[in-house]
Amino acid sequence: MITAYLDESGTHRNQDVVPPMLSLGCYISTQEQWGYFNREWQEVLDEAGLDRFFHVNKFENRKREYADWTDEKRLKIYKMLQGIIKRRVKKGIAADRKSVV
């Protein structure tokens, strides 16, 4: 069986002032691979000292739990997470208001 995980991101502020933005990311894989993915992902989060989630926005902007990470730690953890995605995900899809990639 194939399963998809989706996440949206967008502008949720006053839409009269800021035009609404929307992007959507989707990864597709088998249930078996998602099982491996979840275990491996949690191992990396544990090693990084993170609770349950990896927040790219906070990571990229060095906010909150990522504020004191060295460049070496940032690169190491990011590469480990990318490796899990490459090994376990069958297909990735991204879309915004105007296009599908």
Side-chain angles (χ1 to χ4, degrees):
M1 177 169 293
I2 299 293
T3 303
Y5 285 91
L6 297 94
D7 189 25
E8 61 83 24
S9 181
T11 303
H12 302 286
R13 295 181 283 187
N14 182 345
Q15 294 182 4
D16 294 331
V17 177
V18 179
M21 299 291 294
L22 176 67
S23 61
L24 176 70
C26 174
Y27 285 130
I28 300 169
S29 197
T30 64
Q31 288 183 342
E32 178 183 26
Q33 289 301 312
W34 284 125
Y36 295 128
F37 180 101
N38 290 331
R39 282 189 292 279
E40 292 174 15
W41 194 269
Q42 189 60 55
E43 288 172 6
V44 175
L45 295 184
D46 291 345
E47 180 176 329
L50 298 172
D51 290 329
R52 188 165 172 207
F53 299 105
F54 179 78
H55 296 280
V56 173
N57 189 338
K58 293 175 191 166
F59 172 82
E60 289 294 334
N61 291 292
R62 298 179 183 260
K63 301 287 183 185
R64 296 187 188 168
E65 61 266 37
Y66 309 98
D68 62 350
W69 283 24
T70 64
D71 289 342
E72 181 179 283
K73 180 177 180 177
R74 291 170 56 78
L75 184 60
K76 177 184 176 186
I77 297 301
Y78 202 72
K79 283 186 173 186
M80 291 172 75
L81 295 175
Q82 283 180 326
I84 295 167
I85 293 168
K86 288 178 182 178
R87 279 192 309 280
R88 303 299 178 194
V89 171
K90 301 297 182 193
K91 183 73 175 171
I93 303 165
D96 62 24
R97 286 181 24 199
K98 298 178 184 174
S99 65
V100 174
V101 179

